[in-house]
Amino acid sequence: PVPFKIPSAPSRPPPTKESLEERRLRLLARKQSLEAKAKWVADSEEVMMQAGVQAQEWLQQLDNRSKAIACQKETFRKAWADQEVALLHLMVFRLVQIQATAAANSTAETSAPAQEPAL
């Protein structure tokens, strides 16, 4: 053994005797395999693009629904406040009517002579 000998690279198997027709068939099979894989990749990309577009449409719909619900909520709050104010006005009007009736009755009693209830 020589101390500075460089190890040789692993040897390749000897080339096989392959006919041109066999090589052509093998290359044709590889080409078809690559074309099939390329078609699968293109189909997968198309599916991913459609899924992305659909997801964007869904997000847009959700955003539109959220805005519509927020508008409905604000409309409801405003209508509710308006109804509360209207109800309070009705209550005050009714109280004023009651007070006016009571005042009219009390002035009528003071102006009319007091009668003793008949037993």
Side-chain angles (χ1 to χ4, degrees):
V2 178
F4 299 106
K5 182 179 177 186
I6 300 173
S8 62
S11 61
R12 294 175 136 181
T16 59
K17 296 281 182 172
E18 185 176 34
S19 70
L20 288 176
E21 183 63 24
E22 289 172 341
R23 285 181 72 190
R24 188 183 71 74
L25 290 174
R26 185 170 45 92
L27 290 175
L28 184 62
R30 281 187 183 172
K31 181 181 175 185
Q32 290 173 348
S33 173
L34 286 175
E35 288 173 352
K37 288 179 182 177
K39 184 180 181 317
W40 178 80
V41 167
D43 292 344
S44 296
E45 287 175 348
E46 180 66 26
V47 167
M48 292 297 290
M49 288 291 289
Q50 289 175 354
V53 168
Q54 188 177 23
Q56 287 177 346
E57 289 174 357
W58 287 346
L59 288 174
Q60 185 65 33
Q61 287 177 355
L62 286 174
D63 190 41
N64 290 342
R65 287 180 185 176
S66 296
K67 289 177 183 177
I69 289 172
C71 289
Q72 288 176 351
K73 180 180 175 184
E74 189 59 33
T75 302
F76 175 78
R77 282 184 178 173
K78 185 172 177 151
W80 185 265
D82 291 344
Q83 287 178 356
E84 281 182 333
V85 169
L87 184 61
L88 288 172
H89 285 136
L90 288 173
M91 291 169 63
V92 168
F93 179 73
R94 183 66 180 139
L95 287 173
V96 168
Q97 277 183 329
I98 292 170
Q99 286 178 341
T101 304
N105 286 342
S106 68
T107 57
E109 287 177 5
T110 56
S111 64
Q115 295 178 355
E116 294 286 323
L119 294 175

